[in-house]
Amino acid sequence: MAVYGASSWVLPRGQRSRPSAQVFLFQLYGVFLRECGDMELVKWHLTCLLESSHLSCSQREGIALSVGLASTTHLEEVWALLEHMGRTRFLRWALPSPESQDEILESSFLSASILLTRVLRKEYGAQNYKFTQTPELIQCLLCILQKEPDFLATLCRQKTILVIVGLSNLRPSLKPLVKSRILQTCLRSVYLLPPIEELKSKSPPLEPAPDALYAKTVRALDLLLQNFFLENPSMDELSFLLQHTERWLKSDRSHERKRAVLSIFLLLQYVVDSLKFTVSPRPPSGTPRWGEDPQQCVSLLLHLVVEQKGRALEFMPWNKAKHFEVKVSKEWEMKLGHMVKAFRKDLTVAQHTQLVLTLLHGLHSHSHLRCDLASRLLLMIFQDAGIKPEQVAEILHSLLQELPGIRFKNVYKTMMKAIAALGNQHTQEVVEVTLSLSHPFERWILSLWRTLATNQQLARKVMTILYMKLKLRPSREFIQPTRQAQLVCLKALNTIYELLYTQEYRGTVRWAFAGVLMGLLTQLHYLLELGMVEGMSDYQEDILDDKPLGPCRTCLEALKGLFWTTNYWEVFAHVKLLNGWECLECLETYPQGVTLLARAMSHYDCEVKAILGQAIIFLKNSEERDNLVAILIISEFLNSPDVFQHVNQRSMVNFMNLNLKNSNPLVRAMSLQALSSILMHPKKGTLRQRSRLLELLDSFLQPEPNDPLGLMQILGDILHRLGDQGVGAVILKIAQHLQLFFEDVSAEVRGCAIFLFGDVIHRGGKKFRQALKTFAFQALVPLLFHLADSCPEVVMKTKLTFLRCAILLKWEFRKELFSKLAWGRGLGAENDVFIYMIESNFGNYHQFFMQALTYLHSPHRNLKLAAMRFIGGMLQDYFADLCFYLKKGDIKTLKKSLKTLREDPDSMCRRFYLNFTGDIMELSHYVT
């Protein structure tokens, strides 16, 4: 239905005096409204009708007739409209109250102010005069603004702000205090308004649309900000304006934060599009804490800097400010990259550092968006090579202070990438600064080191720098006792020790094995020279203790950890079971400890080529301790037949000749020993040593040789020098004969025979390996029982040989076996070793069982008791297997052996007989 509005309805000039015609038209209008189905249209027309002229009686009657006709169909809507019009329109014409008088006065004052500003704006010479009462006039306008309600019904806010804009252009310029008061009041009046949806619900239905009123009010506020800036176009003025928005950016209400960001964006866009500056480029000192979607604001700030240098960037198109939505895209990432490059080019080093520190400070903000933007900018700055070496220390110090306060995981991950990027650019500086900060055990420092291992190349650079730092060893006279802990070499040592057990560095440590090894060995000698041995003697490695380790102990434990964490545990175990690590605890036995370690590395082929290369370099150094460590390793490696696969023989001879002139007598002696090595003169030396070996072997194989201990020691030395060269058949004879001395009355003979047996079974090459495995298998039970030998030295040597048998036979739980042998105590550890042995030899239980029976008659009580525990364990845990594998003849032997225990004077033997007689009888029943 099309109905023309009452406000647009005008009677023809000739009909205005004819009331009947007017009444007819009003009646017709009422009928149209009655029949109209669009309620919004009816309300609008009725409002226009009620607001039309009421001067003549006929007009009032006609209006009443139209309203009455419309109410016949739309009674509730018409009634509500009449009530509202009565409250908001017609009562205004009544006698005003004191409050309404104030409103009328304020409205009149505002109207007068508007007229004044219009006149002054049009007056050509207005700027030639000074208006001294402008601040007082503005203060009155601010009072009007403060009394405005929390909804929008009129344009009073907009008009007041626009009047203030006009007055602020008059001379003299407003003082900063007055401008600050204006900004605070205007921002508060606009930003505190409820959201648009709430404004619509609060606004009276007949008033103008609140979203339109709000848009006009916000536009007035933007004009105020732009006008203030135009009066003083400088970065300081921009900073002054932005500082007043900061409290709103930190508001708990999202709509207030969004309004503040929109104002900032429009102001910055106005500045970028309209102005050029001549002041030095720097970010405003009061750069606020951005709220939602702050990328546009930051990009505009950058543009201000670039514009001043004449390097305007090509901006991506902005979305309409009304929607204020920025999609994060490749285009935005490129823009962010341009921003970082602009900062790097246009800022001084000090300014750039301050920018980075400001971004770092924002990382612990409660605002996720602010933290995310700060971390992304920092990542790009670090990746862009924007940090200079002289900035690293200050930035890294600040970064580590802020790192624990980061609340968001994605921000933390981004910062870890940023640290890695910084490490790639300035590895040396980052390592040095991190070393100077604090102990590497601290969580955040360790996290930083882990981050520097995110890529293999960076991790290798870090590890190389660390072990090179070990060489920064000042002389004793230059070290103050109170400053010992601050030595760079000690900080590097502590860090290496920690990184050995850090998963991210496992591969890197393996790669840098030789360099780290040589560094730690020489560092240990240096610390022993300084006497920094606190905590060395009372340390117990099988007890967990939170007490910090002393420098020497830390170095020694790092040396152990180097082998353990790189899976060269056999070397660690070999030295451990020979008490070789203890030899490294003092200067007197240090050479012996290094020799044992070098021999174990050579035997288990532990990075021989790399270590030999490093040792040759160290032997050329001027440091005496470097020469000492190097010659001890080289001279031991020269006993290995594979050494000349890695180094030229003639070069090595010449090199050793040069070291005969070394200032250290031990280095000279070891060089001479290296020159006399069989491998240095293979033809001549091998023939002579083999001839001597055969002579000694004849004496050794006699039923009762003279001085078996001396013979075994000499045989061991010759075998060590010969290596695997032509000793295969001889090895088998020695291995077989050595087992006869396992039960010798002399503990020294037993120990020497057991130790030499462990050496012998690993020689002979592939050709005789299977035969040597057979000997190793036959020796398992005797070795197991000798773990209970009455002599501690025999026990220690037995542990090593037992482990070497397990390695040769390739048991599955070799590493676990070593742990029990090295640190296990009591029956629990004994039982674990028993299980490892039995379970690693499936199908051979009965052979072990029958071997154990022979020890029931041993003259050594410890061995007899060990045999009884072994037999008892087999009967209890492997009874069914024994029933399957044993024969009738084996049962007869078993009964005969047990029968002798019945009359044994030892009560434990008799008790064993009584406890297991029943099991033996049952076993004989099942064995066929």
Side-chain angles (χ1 to χ4, degrees), residues 635-662:
S635 61
E636 189 58 42
F637 279 4
L638 287 175
N639 291 317
S640 169
D642 301 325
V643 69
F644 291 116
Q645 295 178 8
H646 313 307
V647 64
N648 181 269
Q649 183 177 349
R650 184 178 295 276
S651 299
M652 185 58 69
V653 170
N654 295 335
F655 194 46
M656 291 297 104
N657 280 323
L658 290 175
N659 282 280
L660 292 175
K661 301 176 183 179
N662 195 286

Side-chain angles (χ1 to χ4, degrees), residues 414-576:
T414 303
M415 285 313 303
M416 292 299 102
K417 294 179 182 177
I419 292 171
L422 184 63
N424 273 320
Q425 299 292 336
H426 303 286
T427 311
Q428 183 80 26
E429 291 79 5
V430 169
V431 171
E432 290 176 353
V433 172
T434 310
L435 281 177
S436 68
L437 291 175
S438 58
H439 203 285
F441 292 166
E442 292 188 13
R443 178 185 173 190
W444 299 109
I445 304 298
L446 185 57
S447 176
L448 179 58
W449 288 116
R450 286 196 180 103
T451 302
L452 295 177
T454 50
N455 69 74
Q456 187 184 74
Q457 184 179 3
L458 177 57
R460 290 182 173 184
K461 288 165 66 177
V462 168
M463 187 57 65
T464 302
I465 292 171
L466 284 174
Y467 74 68
M468 292 300 290
K469 291 291 182 186
L470 291 176
K471 297 182 178 182
L472 301 178
R473 304 170 183 136
S475 302
R476 183 195 298 268
E477 56 269 21
F478 297 110
I479 301 176
Q480 300 177 9
T482 57
R483 303 287 295 174
Q484 286 183 351
Q486 302 303 316
L487 293 176
V488 174
C489 62
L490 289 185
K491 289 179 175 290
L493 170 63
N494 290 332
T495 303
I496 289 174
Y497 178 49
E498 190 66 22
L499 297 186
L500 289 175
Y501 297 93
T502 303
Q503 184 62 39
E504 290 81 355
Y505 280 91
R506 289 291 173 86
T508 304
V509 171
R510 185 71 176 257
W511 171 82
F513 186 94
V516 175
L517 172 70
M518 297 300 293
L520 291 175
L521 283 172
T522 51
Q523 177 76 358
L524 181 58
H525 196 282
Y526 170 72
L527 296 174
L528 291 171
E529 292 172 16
L530 295 180
M532 302 174 71
V533 294
E534 57 270 20
M536 285 289 277
S537 58
D538 57 351
Y539 178 76
Q540 293 179 304
E541 63 184 6
D542 56 342
I543 297 178
L544 294 176
D545 191 358
D546 294 335
K547 183 180 178 181
L549 302 177
C552 272
R553 176 52 63 181
T554 299
C555 192
L556 184 55
E557 293 307 308
L559 195 58
K560 296 177 184 179
L562 177 63
F563 291 95
W564 189 262
T565 59
T566 53
N567 208 31
Y568 288 120
W569 66 270
E570 295 99 335
V571 177
F572 173 87
H574 191 102
V575 179
K576 167 68 180 175

Side-chain angles (χ1 to χ4, degrees), residues 301-313:
L301 282 174
L302 165 69
H303 202 85
L304 294 177
V305 176
V306 177
E307 283 261 300
Q308 295 178 77
K309 290 291 185 179
R311 303 185 185 95
L313 299 176

Side-chain angles (χ1 to χ4, degrees), residues 532-684:
M532 302 174 71
V533 294
E534 57 270 20
M536 285 289 277
S537 58
D538 57 351
Y539 178 76
Q540 293 179 304
E541 63 184 6
D542 56 342
I543 297 178
L544 294 176
D545 191 358
D546 294 335
K547 183 180 178 181
L549 302 177
C552 272
R553 176 52 63 181
T554 299
C555 192
L556 184 55
E557 293 307 308
L559 195 58
K560 296 177 184 179
L562 177 63
F563 291 95
W564 189 262
T565 59
T566 53
N567 208 31
Y568 288 120
W569 66 270
E570 295 99 335
V571 177
F572 173 87
H574 191 102
V575 179
K576 167 68 180 175
L577 295 176
L578 288 177
N579 294 323
W581 298 119
E582 285 76 2
C583 294
L584 294 170
E585 293 181 359
C586 62
L587 286 173
E588 291 74 19
T589 56
Y590 180 86
Q592 181 184 348
V594 175
T595 300
L596 282 174
L597 182 59
R599 185 171 296 184
M601 289 189 293
S602 175
H603 175 71
Y604 293 103
D605 193 24
C606 172
E607 303 288 342
V608 171
K609 180 180 178 180
I611 295 170
L612 186 62
Q614 285 288 321
I616 292 173
I617 294 172
F618 272 60
L619 196 55
K620 296 177 182 179
N621 292 346
S622 57
E623 288 288 342
E624 190 175 288
R625 72 179 69 88
D626 291 2
N627 301 160
L628 175 63
V629 172
I631 194 61
L632 289 171
I633 292 174
I634 291 173
S635 61
E636 189 58 42
F637 279 4
L638 287 175
N639 291 317
S640 169
D642 301 325
V643 69
F644 291 116
Q645 295 178 8
H646 313 307
V647 64
N648 181 269
Q649 183 177 349
R650 184 178 295 276
S651 299
M652 185 58 69
V653 170
N654 295 335
F655 194 46
M656 291 297 104
N657 280 323
L658 290 175
N659 282 280
L660 292 175
K661 301 176 183 179
N662 195 286
S663 58
N664 188 304
L666 182 56
V667 174
R668 295 196 300 270
M670 297 302 295
S671 299
L672 184 60
Q673 179 180 324
L675 282 170
S676 65
S677 169
I678 293 172
L679 295 176
M680 287 289 203
H681 314 282
K683 295 181 179 179
K684 181 178 175 182

Side-chain angles (χ1 to χ4, degrees), residues 312-380:
L313 299 176
E314 182 183 353
F315 267 36
M316 65 177 179
W318 298 109
N319 289 339
K320 293 182 179 180
K322 175 181 177 182
H323 301 291
F324 200 58
E325 295 176 355
V326 179
K327 295 182 179 179
V328 179
S329 62
K330 291 183 179 179
E331 199 170 349
W332 162 246
E333 293 295 335
M334 291 174 61
K335 189 152 199 64
L336 209 58
H338 287 310
M339 176 165 53
V340 169
K341 291 178 181 178
F343 279 131
R344 173 167 53 85
K345 293 177 182 178
D346 297 329
L347 298 181
T348 65
V349 174
Q351 291 171 339
H352 192 266
T353 302
Q354 192 58 44
L355 169 67
V356 175
L357 295 179
T358 302
L359 291 172
L360 287 172
H361 182 67
L363 291 175
H364 62 80
S365 169
H366 290 277
S367 168
H368 176 267
L369 289 167
R370 184 187 179 206
C371 292
D372 183 61
L373 178 60
S375 64
R376 290 170 63 193
L377 279 171
L378 287 167
L379 175 59
M380 286 193 168

Side-chain angles (χ1 to χ4, degrees), residues 44-195:
W44 186 79
H45 282 286
L46 285 175
T47 301
C48 294
L49 185 65
L50 291 170
E51 288 184 338
S52 63
S53 175
H54 291 65
L55 296 178
S56 67
C57 179
S58 61
Q59 286 177 320
R60 291 194 293 272
E61 290 176 359
I63 292 172
L65 178 60
S66 296
V67 171
L69 288 170
S71 66
T72 58
T73 306
H74 310 295
L75 178 61
E76 293 183 2
E77 288 77 13
V78 171
W79 182 259
L81 186 62
L82 288 172
E83 282 189 331
H84 175 70
M85 293 293 290
R87 289 196 309 269
T88 60
R89 291 290 193 274
F90 305 126
L91 289 181
R92 294 179 185 175
W93 301 336
L95 184 64
S97 65
E99 292 181 0
S100 61
Q101 288 180 350
D102 291 341
E103 294 176 0
I104 294 171
L105 182 61
E106 290 173 358
S107 177
S108 301
F109 177 77
L110 180 59
S111 300
S113 300
I114 293 172
L115 292 174
L116 176 63
T117 54
R118 286 178 181 174
V119 170
L120 292 176
R121 184 168 65 247
K122 293 177 181 179
E123 181 62 35
Y124 177 78
Q127 289 301 323
N128 296 328
Y129 296 93
K130 289 187 178 181
F131 298 88
T132 57
Q133 293 184 326
T134 302
E136 289 79 5
L137 184 58
I138 288 176
Q139 181 59 40
C140 294
L141 291 169
L142 294 178
C143 291
I144 294 175
L145 203 56
Q146 289 171 340
K147 292 181 180 180
E148 279 294 294
D150 65 341
F151 62 88
L152 289 173
T154 67
L155 290 174
C156 181
R157 273 187 179 84
Q158 179 213 18
K159 292 177 179 179
T160 304
I161 294 174
L162 290 176
V163 171
I164 293 173
V165 171
L167 294 176
S168 66
N169 291 323
L170 301 177
R171 295 180 62 229
S173 299
L174 298 178
K175 294 182 179 179
L177 187 61
V178 177
K179 292 171 70 173
S180 181
R181 193 182 310 125
I182 292 171
L183 288 169
Q184 291 174 10
T185 305
C186 293
L187 292 174
R188 181 180 180 84
S189 179
V190 176
Y191 291 168
L192 282 181
L193 287 171

